Structures are given as C-alpha cells and as structure tokens.
Amino acid sequence: YIVLSYGTPGSAEEWKLMLQLEPFAVFFFRGGMNAMGPPIIAAGTSGLTHFEVRRPKECTSGGSTGNKRKLTEGEVESVVDEDEDRHKGKEIVGYWEDGLAIYADGSREERKSEDTTFAEKVSEEIDDIDKGEGRSRRLDETDFDTDGLWEEKFGDHWDSKPNGPMSVGMELTFPRSNHLFGLPEHASSTQLKTTTGNNHYYKEPYRLYNLDVFEYELDETMALYGHIPLVVSQSTRTGTAGAFWFNPTETFVDVEEVLETESTDFESRTHFMSESGIVDLFLLPGPDPATLYGQYARLTGRTSLPPMFSLGYHQCRWNYRDEADVYFVHSKFEELDYPYDVLWLDIEHTDGKRYFTWDDKLFPNPTAMQEKLGKDGRRMVTIIDPHIKRDPNYYIHKEATSLGLYVKDKSGNKDFDGWCWPGSSSYLDFTTAKVRSWWADQFHYDKYKGSTPELFTWNDMNEPSVFNGPEVSMQKDLLNLNKCEHREWHNLYGMLFHRSTSEGLIRRNVGENVRPFVLSRSFFAGSQRYGAIWTGDNASHWSHLEIATPMLLGLSVGALSFVGADVGGFFGNPDAELMTRWMQAGAYQPFFRGHAHHDAKRREPWMFGDDTMARLRRAAMARYALLPFWYTVFWQAGVTGMPVMRTMWMQYPDDPSLFSIDDQYLIGSDLLVKPVTSPGATASEVLFPLSDIWYDVDTMQRIEISGNTNSAASMIVDSDIDKIPVYQRGGSIIPRKLRLRRSSRLMVNDPYTLYVALDNNMMAEGSLYMDDETTFDHQKLGDYGIAKFSSDWSSASVAMSNSVDIGSDEAVHAKRIDNRIVERIIFMGVSNEPRGIELIFPGKPNASMEFQYDPFSKILVIRKPGVSALENWSMKLVH
C-alpha cells in the first residue's frame, strides 16, 4: 500500500488516499483513515478495472488460441458485398436528420421493421441473460467472442479499428450512499437509477456518446447531444463526494445499489467502460455541495458571466422567412409591450446553407436590419454549424481546403465528405489549435459580411451530426490533422467548436472587450466557460415539459449553469394551456428561449388569443423584474462554482427526503420554483424545507406549515392557470426592477426594489452584483460593485444596511451611484410596526424616513428612501 495525505492532520479536513498496488485499487478517506471507518470513494475493488493494450489490426481464426493474421482489404470488401442493397439501386441525393436516404425520384428510405437500433440490439443481448437478478460481464478469455474486436460493422458502416480493442474501465464505489447524480445528458430523472443488480430499473447502462438524436425518447439511458462523465454522491453518512472520469470516448456506465457486507447500509457502485483512452480519474472529496463544486470549478473551469441581454427572453423559429417577417415580429412585440431581447434566424437565412452568408433575396440588408433592432434595444442571433458546404466557389470552403483544415478520412489523405443540411459537407478539425484560431477569425466584421456588434451566434449540429454516418455521426476511424482517430475525441468536438466560436465573437471587437453569447447543443466538461446549452429537439407534449426540469437539473449537476429547454417544444403544436405553463416554467430557467420547427404553426405570444397573450407577458415580465437577481446568481456561480439552478439537496444536503426531488428546484439559494407540468392543474404539491421559512412571491405572505425543522413538509398550494408556485426563502434579500421595459438594455438605469424576507430571527441578508453588463471591464479593470445588504429587526434594530465592495480604485462604472438608485424596500414578516426609521449616512445627520405598514399582511414598505446601491448606509429602527 501507498498512503498519500494532505490537509490538517486529525481534523475533518484531513484527506488520505490509499493505493493498493496488487490488485490495483484506490481508497479515499475523509478525516483520516481512523476517523470515519469506510472510505467516501473506492475504485477498483470489484475486479472490473481493465486497460486493453493497443495492438496491430488482426483477426483470429481457429479459436481464441489459434493463429492470428491481418484481415485483407479484399476480405473486408467481400463482406460488404454480401450485405443486402437496402437502396434497391436507387440514386441517393441526400439524407435526412434521422439518417435515412432521400432518393432522386423524390421518395425516402423507410426503416425496415426488422432493422434494430443499437439500443435494441444491446437490449436483446441483455434479455438473453437478464432475469431480473443482475447480469455479469466478466468472461474468461477463452470464452470471449473475438469476432468484431478489429473490423466491426454497424448498419452499412464499417469501422476498421486499426488498433484493435482499446477499452478501459473501472468501477467506483460510494459506501453508505444510495443517491447518485450526474452523467448528463439523458432524458431521465436527475437521480441515477440502477442499470444492473437486483431489480434494476433500466436494462441498458447510461451511454455517453454525443449524438444528433431525432425525436428523443423519455425515461431512457440513450445517448443525447452532450455528456459529462461526472458522478456525485449525496449521503447523510458520507456527505458529498464525486468522481470525474476524464475520457471523451464513447462510454457506458452501469449503476448498481447493493447492501454492504455485514451492514444494513447500502452502497452505490458505478462501472465506467470507455472505448479507448487511459484511466484518468479525479476524485472530489467535498464534503458538502458548495465545496465540491468549488473543487470541480478549479478542475474544469468556471461559469463565464454572460452579458445581461442573454438572460432575457429569446424569440426563435425555424425560420423567420425574410426581413419583412423579422420586422413584423419585432413590431408586434413592441406594440404589445412584450419584453424580449433577441430575435433568432435559423439556417434558411443563409445563401444555400453556406454559413457566414445571407440570402440576398430574403435578407438583402442584414446590417440595417440589425441596426434597426439594436436601436430598439434588441440583438439578433444567427445559426452557424460546423459542417461546411463542399462548394469550390464558397470562400470558407475554398480557404479551409487550401489550408488543409478539415477532418480526414481513415487513410489520412482525403478530406472527409459527409452529408448534412447543405448536402455534401466537410468538417473542420476543431481539435487543432490552428483550426480553432482560423475559425475564430472568420467572425471579424470584414469577413462575416453583414454582421454587426448586435449579432451573436448559435452553434447547432456539433455532436457532430453527419446524416449519412453511423448513428448520424462521424465514422470512428476518421482522422484529425494529428492522425488521431475520431473515436478518441468524439465527445470533445462540440465543446471545442463552441469554444472557438466564443473566441471569435471576442476577437471581432477592437480591444477584445465585449462578452460573447453563443448557444451550443453539444457539450462536455468545461463547456460552462463558453456559453449556453439547451436540451435539444424536444416536443410539444406535457411529458416533455415535465422532463425538462429533471434534465436541466442533471445538466446543473454537471456544473452547466446557463441551460434551458425550448419553450413550447420544438416539434408539434402546443395549445394555449401548454404554452402558458411552458412560458411560466421557462421564465424561471437560466436560458429562456421560445423555439419551433418549420412544420409547426406560428406560436408567437399573440397567436393564442388576448387572454393567453396577457398570461405569457406576465410570465416574461416576472423574468425581467428578476434580472438583477439572475445576474447576481450568475456572478456567484462564476465565483463559487455552485450552479445557478440547483437541486434541493445542493442547498439542503442534510435532509434525505429532498435528495430524490427533481420536480422543483432552487434558483441560487433564495427562490424555490415548482413548475406546473400537467393539464388542467389548479393545485400543486410543494415540498418545503422547514429549516427555513418561505414567502409566496405573489402575495408576499408567509407559508404557514409546521414540522421538524430538520426535515421537509409538503403542502398543497394554489396553481391555477395564472400562477406558477414560486417562493422566497426567509432570511434573503432579492433585488428586482419593476418598471416595464421592452428589453434589458432599456432597463440599465432603472432603480431597484429590494424584497426583504425576514426569517424566524427577524433577520435577512443578500447581495446585488453590478457592472456595465456588457464588457470584460469587471475582470480587466475591476470595474464592478457588490452591494451587501443586511437586515436585523431583533436586538440590532437595523431595518436595513448596505456595505459596498468596489472592485478597484480605477473603477468607473461602479462609481456611478446615480445609476443604481434604490426606489423601494419591501419587508415581509414584520410582526410589529416601529415608531420610526432613521436613515444614517456616514458624515451626515440622521434623517427620518416615511414608511407604510400593514398589520394584517405584516408588510412594511419604504418608498423613495433616497439611497444608492453603491453607497454605504444604514436604516435604524426607532422603538
């Protein structure tokens, strides 16, 4: 054994890592090995650790102990020739997103009933040995089927596998824990369910392989658009602990729950199995959620502070037809006083799906269009995908070809040719620094003609999507410019594309001082540094609204904070009720966008009638009022690593009744949200942590509920069509801006209203982060201010005080106190009316303040206190 230790000896902050050399295993202890008994994480203890040595391309004849020889090219071709011609000799002119062919005669390939998907094939294999009593993958080498260890067929596609089998794997055990989370993205519960062992829930392991999934299924372990190989354990016995399996190749993860030997405690086990790579494992000791996410942020990077406009409402459709359509939609929002910040254009805005171009018939004046919307406080977003149309006259393709920037075929000699929206396409190699730099340069205004500082970017199809590829993606034996196979870096591709685009939006401006906004569908660990992520092609069904919250919480477990699900669903046509509930839910998601497929009916807010439009607008207004709060929570996420949208256990890690809850959540630490996800609902059940008290944000009344303060209690609350249950935590102070504006840009100098929710001790505190909301001056110059509000109506007799931190003496924006006025302070839970309140400024005489108090609602309001959020002051109670 080898034991490594660090921290303070003999304390809870002492950590010991014990390495067992033969057989190899790892044991991670918190508080030293003698303090807590079993480790918080153990790895390699069940004999499942493996690391296959790469070897030349070979096949086996005459059994596993027979002579081995190379498989000849002719033998591969003969096997391919034996495959049935599924296209019946028809000419293929394209492929659709589901991977099926489009023929020259206008017909489309039909999926044969006997065809089985990858998941179905795995399921059939498992069913042969799965009797509900678990399954074993441990085989003797003499029993192992060597067929397919080198060349392997998937549908019409052959994988040459020149290095043979290269898989690596390891099992991880979390003693005294039966609550595991992570492994996003899957359309399933936030808590991981068992895939093996007794009475397991799923038949297949969780699959981590970024794919363009057409109309994904719910409650499945199937792969989706992005993945993060992070598992987090939450336990009242061992606290919070995590493991990050740093491997971007195709990965499967089994989850099992077993009874510990000679104990009544359960332990959770995971078995990571990756196609290639090395064992690269990071253990996160916690011991609580806040500490663990600080550790993970230091490992993979911190959430970037987004520009304020990107936290507003985004209106998108595939596609707004032309400039006239854009102007009509924009003017209708203006007419209805409906707040929105960004109008989006999908692929049809381009010249024949050539990115960085415009269709000059539909969008002849893109610069003027952006400037028009910009004058009204709006921005625009255009889509730019990683596949490049193979047109020798297209300047992007011509230059990328001449510079040799594309992914190569398996020979390494030819540029890979795949099919996507433009038809025949090449794919840039974003694993190479020079390619990323070249791509970033394409966003300069003199290159991207028709772009302006008001234009931002949407990265889609970056799994990468290849319509005629295996599982609608790239063949695994394609090569990057460093001759490394695609299988080795598949799950990195989307993030690296996202990164390069983000860098391009920074580079395009003089001084590189304007924050970018880029939305991406695909992601990996670290994507939080580059922009927003959404859950992909959802559908207009109540079930997809219901699964949105667990999916987004799963992404949050993976430390992705800027996340959202498309309001209304991408496919299909929501009715007025579903659209209302989705807009209400979306207003409390970090990323807030409405989107629709081109076959869907128009669904702008006014398309559902006046009553529904009014409800949708109220939901959007609630979002805009809370923008100062959202912005502050995003800043906190960047500093601490804690996600913006939090599971209940992230804030209440000592209450096991909250661990599995994924139909309600917290924004930061102070707002509890319970979306309504079923039709006809007039009431909802909310689970309230009783260690805090809660106030309804609409009535500002305390929720009267009793129980053990160390637990949670449920309560049926009103949730008719006009209400989404949202509650402010007692002990918090939340800033809002209440003046109705049509965009966040128009709100920049609006005054604040502070909502003070007193706790049982008649105290509260909160923060407000302020900067110019656009540039990097908060990082480069320290140009920011942080207001730290506190309220103590008990012995301290301080109604409110403010202590301000300014980033640096050179700060300019942070010193503009007249732009940060507090116009109103609302106190909730005030049991008795004070005789008076005095305003105290350092160096100035005290001033009596006017206020109104309602003894029935227990609400006290100070109007026009005459203070700035960027000044130090206090308000003293006079009894």
Side-chain angles (χ1 to χ4, degrees):
Y1 292 92
I2 297 176
V3 178
L4 307 174
S5 62
Y6 64 99
T8 304
S11 74
E13 296 182 359
E14 180 186 12
W15 316 94
K16 288 187 181 294
L17 186 70
M18 185 171 71
L19 303 178
Q20 176 181 291
L21 302 183
E22 182 60 38
F24 181 78
V26 177
F27 304 87
F28 196 22
F29 296 87
R30 180 190 298 132
M33 288 184 289
N34 299 321
M36 295 184 64
I40 56 173
I41 308 174
T45 57
S46 300
L48 296 178
T49 301
H50 72 279
F51 187 104
E52 296 194 81
V53 179
R54 302 180 185 205
R55 47 212 186 273
K57 179 179 178 182
E58 58 190 14
C59 72
T60 301
S61 60
S64 60
T65 59
N67 296 323
K68 296 183 178 180
R69 61 175 176 78
K70 294 213 174 217
L71 190 67
T72 68
E73 195 69 27
E75 287 175 308
V76 174
E77 292 174 357
S78 68
V79 177
V80 175
D81 290 339
E82 293 173 2
D83 187 48
E84 179 188 1
D85 179 11
R86 66 187 239 213
H87 304 294
K88 309 298 185 185
K90 291 185 177 182
E91 180 186 355
I92 300 172
V93 295
Y95 292 85
W96 190 240
E97 195 173 0
D98 55 9
L100 298 178
I102 303 170
Y103 301 121
D105 62 6
S107 63
R108 288 185 55 183
E109 178 186 4
E110 296 182 2
R111 189 180 299 280
K112 296 180 181 179
S113 59
E114 63 267 25
D115 284 352
T116 55
T117 64
F118 174 82
E120 290 168 343
K121 290 177 180 177
V122 173
S123 179
E124 290 172 3
E125 294 172 2
I126 292 170
D127 285 343
D128 290 339
I129 57 173
D130 183 4
K131 304 302 181 184
E133 300 176 352
R135 61 183 187 274
S136 172
R137 292 193 178 86
R138 298 186 65 181
L139 300 173
D140 292 332
E141 188 169 350
T142 56
D143 298 328
F144 197 83
D145 181 6
T146 59
D147 185 40
L149 290 185
W150 279 268
E151 292 78 7
E152 186 175 17
K153 187 173 184 292
F154 186 94
D156 283 349
H157 304 280
W158 277 91
D159 181 2
S160 61
K161 296 174 69 174
N163 296 308
M166 303 180 292
S167 66
V168 299
M170 177 176 278
E171 77 278 22
L172 304 174
T173 301
F174 298 86
R176 298 182 181 179
S177 172
N178 59 348
H179 292 89
L180 296 184
F181 307 87
L183 302 181
E185 175 183 39
H186 296 94
S188 57
S189 61
T190 306
Q191 180 176 342
L192 299 177
K193 296 180 180 179
T194 56
T195 64
T196 188
N198 293 332
N199 301 314
H200 55 273
Y201 185 85
Y202 290 120
K203 290 185 177 180
E204 292 92 30
Y206 287 89
R207 188 184 185 202
L208 281 62
Y209 191 65
N210 297 359
L211 292 174
D212 175 2
V213 181
F214 185 77
E215 298 182 339
Y216 56 80
E217 300 173 10
L218 307 185
D219 197 20
E220 291 287 349
T221 57
M222 63 186 290
L224 289 179
Y225 310 100
H227 296 93
I228 297 175
L230 170 71
V231 171
V232 177
S233 165
Q234 183 59 43
S235 168
T236 56
R237 302 287 299 277
T238 57
T240 312
F244 175 53
W245 176 261
F246 187 22
N247 191 311
T249 73
E250 180 178 12
T251 298
F252 291 89
V253 185
D254 259 330
V255 177
E256 184 179 11
E257 189 176 290
V258 298
L259 190 64
E260 293 182 356
T261 305
E262 299 180 357
S263 171
T264 59
D265 291 317
F266 280 92
E267 67 181 20
S268 293
R269 299 175 181 173
T270 61
H271 180 200
F272 282 80
M273 300 161 279
S274 294
E275 181 178 9
S276 186
I278 62 173
V279 174
D280 197 356
L281 178 65
F282 295 84
L283 304 179
L284 306 170
D288 54 66
T291 304
L292 180 138
Y293 279 102
Q295 295 159 353
Y296 186 74
R298 291 195 293 274
L299 179 62
T300 64
R302 300 185 180 277
T303 297
S304 296
L305 182 63
M308 177 67 86
F309 80 84
S310 64
L311 301 183
Y313 177 63
H314 300 248
Q315 182 64 42
C316 184
R317 179 179 178 81
W318 180 18
N319 199 83
Y320 287 116
R321 295 184 299 266
D322 50 28
E323 287 181 5
D325 199 10
V326 167
Y327 287 135
F328 169 77
V329 172
H330 171 67
S331 64
K332 198 68 176 177
F333 274 100
E334 291 278 287
E335 174 190 334
L336 297 173
D337 286 331
Y338 196 113
Y340 91 99
D341 262 78
V342 191
L343 195 65
W344 292 51
L345 296 178
D346 212 316
I347 52 178
E348 313 304 338
H349 82 278
T350 63
D351 175 15
K353 299 179 178 62
R354 298 169 179 86
Y355 301 111
F356 300 100
T357 70
W358 302 82
D359 185 319
D360 59 9
K361 295 182 176 59
L362 302 178
F363 296 91
N365 301 296
T367 299
M369 176 178 63
Q370 295 162 55
E371 290 174 347
K372 162 61 179 169
L373 268 62
K375 288 179 181 178
D376 291 334
R378 286 9 184 272
R379 275 85 166 181
M380 296 195 74
V381 163
T382 52
I383 193 168
I384 295 180
D385 295 344
H387 48 264
I388 304 300
K389 185 178 180 70
R390 291 171 69 96
D391 174 0
N393 297 317
Y394 173 29
Y395 77 99
I396 292 285
H397 177 64
K398 184 177 180 180
E399 186 172 338
T401 301
S402 66
L403 294 174
L405 305 181
Y406 286 133
V407 172
K408 305 300 180 184
D409 66 9
K410 65 181 180 181
S411 73
N413 298 320
K414 296 180 180 180
D415 293 342
F416 167 64
D417 184 354
W419 197 276
C420 207
W421 296 125
S424 180
S425 303
S426 293
Y427 290 75
L428 291 156
D429 174 18
F430 289 100
T431 67
T432 304
K434 71 175 183 178
V435 178
R436 294 197 299 270
S437 181
W438 177 86
W439 179 259
D441 286 341
Q442 305 314 304
F443 289 88
H444 284 288
Y445 301 117
D446 60 345
K447 291 189 175 183
Y448 186 1
K449 304 295 184 182
S451 67
T452 74
E454 309 296 341
L455 187 66
F456 296 84
T457 305
W458 171 17
N459 286 164
D460 198 0
M461 316 300 286
N462 53 330
E463 292 75 25
S465 178
V466 183
F467 291 171
N468 62 335
E471 298 190 275
V472 196
S473 195
M474 283 185 180
Q475 289 93 327
K476 292 183 176 181
D477 54 5
L478 300 182
L479 300 176
N480 69 4
L481 298 182
N482 292 316
K483 306 296 184 182
C484 181
E485 284 190 293
H486 176 74
R487 78 181 79 247
E488 304 283 0
W489 41 267
H490 174 87
N491 285 352
L492 288 174
Y493 189 86
M495 182 191 71
L496 294 174
F497 177 53
H498 193 192
R499 168 185 172 177
S500 182
T501 300
S502 179
E503 291 171 352
L505 294 189
I506 296 172
R507 284 191 194 180
R508 66 181 181 168
N509 295 294
V510 176
E512 299 186 358
N513 198 36
V514 177
R515 282 177 250 169
F517 169 74
V518 184
L519 176 71
S520 173
R521 190 169 68 177
S522 187
F523 58 86
F524 190 68
S527 286
Q528 65 269 17
R529 293 174 289 177
Y530 306 121
I533 302 293
W534 95 106
T535 59
D537 298 344
N538 56 0
S540 299
H541 304 309
W542 287 95
S543 58
H544 278 255
L545 171 58
E546 183 180 15
I547 200 66
T549 296
M551 289 183 72
L552 295 174
L553 289 174
L555 295 175
S556 296
V557 173
L560 298 181
S561 275
F562 203 180
V563 294
D566 281 339
V567 169
F570 178 62
F571 294 110
N573 298 298
D575 60 17
E577 183 186 10
L578 178 56
M579 191 67 185
T580 298
R581 291 307 195 184
W582 218 317
M583 188 70 77
Q584 291 170 344
Y588 291 94
Q589 295 174 181
F591 176 60
F592 184 25
R593 181 180 78 156
H595 187 32
H597 190 272
H598 60 66
D599 289 335
K601 298 176 182 178
R602 295 294 288 253
R603 62 166 82 143
E604 289 76 22
W606 51 88
M607 299 300 295
F608 298 89
D610 292 345
D611 290 345
T612 299
M613 191 284 296
R615 292 188 181 103
L616 301 180
R617 183 172 59 187
R618 281 197 295 273
M621 289 168 59
R623 169 58 167 238
Y624 275 78
L626 280 168
L627 283 181
F629 172 70
W630 280 104
Y631 198 60
T632 298
V633 176
F634 265 93
W635 165 74
Q636 292 169 339
V639 172
T640 67
M642 277 287 276
V644 168
M645 182 177 177
R646 299 177 188 173
T647 60
M648 299 299 293
W649 59 262
M650 289 181 184
Q651 206 61 39
Y652 299 95
D654 298 323
D655 185 354
S657 68
L658 295 172
F659 291 177
S660 299
I661 301 301
D662 61 6
D663 60 354
Q664 64 183 56
Y665 57 91
L666 294 156
I667 303 169
S669 60
D670 298 338
L671 281 184
L672 190 160
V673 182
K674 175 65 180 279
V676 180
T677 60
S678 58
T682 58
S684 298
E685 184 177 7
V686 179
L687 195 58
F688 291 97
L690 298 183
S691 56
D692 286 307
I693 63 174
W694 301 90
Y695 296 83
D696 187 301
V697 298
D698 296 318
T699 66
M700 293 185 285
Q701 295 302 292
R702 176 172 173 169
I703 300 301
E704 299 296 339
I705 189 169
S706 59
N708 188 324
T709 56
N710 295 321
S711 64
S714 64
M715 182 175 182
I716 304 299
V717 301
D718 174 57
S719 61
D720 64 23
I721 193 63
D722 290 306
K723 183 172 179 61
I724 175 174
V726 181
Y727 303 91
Q728 182 173 345
R729 182 181 61 83
S732 66
I733 300 173
I734 288 180
R736 285 182 172 87
K737 289 187 175 183
L738 300 184
R739 299 185 183 182
L740 175 60
R741 306 289 187 187
R742 295 169 185 167
S743 75
S744 64
R745 179 182 282 180
L746 304 179
M747 298 169 61
V748 64
N749 293 322
D750 283 353
Y752 298 101
T753 294
L754 304 179
Y755 286 75
V756 183
L758 298 174
D759 63 15
N760 281 326
N761 296 318
M762 302 298 290
M763 301 171 69
E765 61 182 12
S767 298
L768 171 61
Y769 174 80
M770 296 160 283
D771 61 21
D772 64 17
E773 302 177 357
T774 301
T775 74
F776 288 107
D777 282 351
H778 64 295
Q779 292 180 350
K780 296 181 176 181
L781 303 177
D783 196 356
Y784 64 85
I786 305 168
K788 298 179 180 179
F789 303 115
S790 62
S791 181
D792 185 351
W793 288 60
S794 60
S795 58
S797 295
V798 177
M800 186 72 130
S801 67
N802 185 32
S803 176
V804 179
D805 288 341
I806 302 296
S808 73
D809 294 337
E810 291 74 31
V812 175
H813 191 87
K815 295 180 180 179
R816 296 173 182 167
I817 61 175
D818 293 339
N819 294 340
R820 303 293 183 177
I821 298 299
V822 176
E823 71 170 352
R824 187 183 297 106
I825 306 175
I826 300 174
F827 297 88
M828 294 171 267
V830 177
S831 54
N832 297 296
E833 180 178 6
R835 187 159 61 89
I837 301 177
E838 292 185 345
L839 175 62
I840 303 173
F841 269 113
K844 296 182 181 179
N846 295 358
S848 180
M849 306 188 70
E850 295 183 0
F851 61 88
Q852 293 81 41
Y853 176 71
D854 182 347
F856 298 101
S857 65
K858 300 187 184 301
I859 294 173
L860 185 145
V861 180
I862 300 175
R863 302 182 189 276
K864 297 182 179 180
V867 297
S868 169
L870 288 173
E871 292 180 300
N872 295 321
W873 43 262
S874 63
M875 298 175 184
K876 183 179 180 181
L877 295 171
V878 179
H879 296 289

